[in-house]
Amino acid sequence: MASTNNITELIFTGLFQDPGVQRVCFVVFLPVYLATVVGNGLIILTVSISKSLHSPMYFFLSYLSLVEINYSSTVVPKFITDLLIKIKTISLEGCLAQIFFFHFFGVTETLLLVVMAYDHYVAICKPLHYMTIMNHQLCHVLVAGSWLGGFLHSVIQILVTIKLPFCGPNVIDHYFCDLQPLFKLACTDTFVEGAIVLVNSGIIGLCSFFILVSSYIIILVHLRNHSAEGRRKALSTCAAHIVVVILFFGPVIFLYMRPSSTFTEDKLVAVFYTVITPMLNPIIYTLRNAEVKNAMRRLWGKKENSGI
């Protein structure tokens, strides 16, 4: 890379230019990030300790929470510290590393959401065969496949990006490193690279979204034959997952399925899925799930009793 790059450091424009607004953002986003880590960490701890949460659904939920912590930590800690710094810099190698892990955990989360939709489909449409189909081995294979899919996706993105020459300018119009803002800095035509990235991301995104929508259409059709109580329980189980899917895919489709721009609105949408959504997921799952809430109460009850 040294032979093709004249720049070794990149500068972020940031989310806002006004120092006062940046300080306000710091005060707001720091607690949000801490809540993300604590909330998702609490779900992981509760699922791993509680004997009542050892079903496949909670097994996948614990891994989703783990991915959320890593996904948010790829961008948010530096973003928060940069809010207090006038000149926001990152090395070129650090920028590529951020892109790799951001896409790695993002696609892993996408595939885990697909896996969770399949789990709901089997639980509702094939309840008598659920434990036979969703056995211990298959659950581990599905989780491993999600991580592998995210890894392969990111490897392709980085292999496309790492060979590009960067000779100036070195200012990224964003608050973190992503492919399209970085491509604008390359001193060569990036049409082919952009097409490869779009196809790579588009196939995964569109196929995942199609599978998710199809699975819930099948579930809704299947629920017509259930009693009113059965439909209520099944819809309650799926509701939290559907909300998480909408929160995750909505901003991603808005940003990546249309021509890129430099509008502040785009950055604000990016804040939503990098900062806000990872915090909302544990709240959504715990508020909609009595078993998780009861397990957390028992967990904290045991801690309080042991401390007395």
Side-chain angles (χ1 to χ4, degrees), residues 19-38:
V21 176
Q22 292 189 59
R23 287 192 290 270
V24 171
C25 290
F26 176 84
V27 173
V28 172
F29 292 142
L30 178 59
V32 169
Y33 174 67
L34 294 176
T36 298
V37 175
V38 172

Side-chain angles (χ1 to χ4, degrees), residues 12 19 28 41 52 61 65-66 95 109 123 152 174 198 226 229 231 243 252 261 302:
F12 294 129
V28 172
S52 63
L61 177 58
S65 295
L66 176 62
C95 182
E109 178 174 353
L152 293 176
H174 217 308
L198 181 62
H226 285 223
E229 180 65 16
R231 286 196 297 270
V243 171
V252 170
S261 67
K302 288 179 182 180

Side-chain angles (χ1 to χ4, degrees), residues 101-138:
F101 287 108
F102 178 70
H103 283 264
F104 173 35
F105 293 119
V107 170
T108 300
E109 178 174 353
T110 300
L111 298 178
L112 275 174
L113 290 173
V114 173
V115 167
M116 293 175 75
Y118 176 70
D119 175 67
H120 290 151
Y121 160 77
V122 176
I124 294 171
C125 299
K126 302 180 183 295
L128 298 179
H129 304 285
Y130 177 71
M131 293 310 299
T132 302
I133 297 174
M134 301 302 297
N135 56 66
H136 185 76
Q137 182 179 3
L138 179 62

Side-chain angles (χ1 to χ4, degrees), residues 69-88:
I69 293 174
N70 287 284
Y71 176 72
S72 182
S73 297
T74 301
V75 171
V76 179
K78 177 163 178 54
F79 166 52
I80 292 174
T81 55
D82 281 349
L83 290 169
L84 301 178
I85 301 173
K86 185 176 181 180
I87 301 178
K88 313 168 197 338

Side-chain angles (χ1 to χ4, degrees), residues 281-298:
N281 287 354
I283 297 174
I284 293 168
Y285 277 111
T286 52
L287 288 179
R288 297 287 306 184
N289 195 300
E291 286 185 341
V292 175
K293 287 189 288 186
N294 292 333
M296 286 185 174
R297 292 191 190 101
R298 289 193 294 269

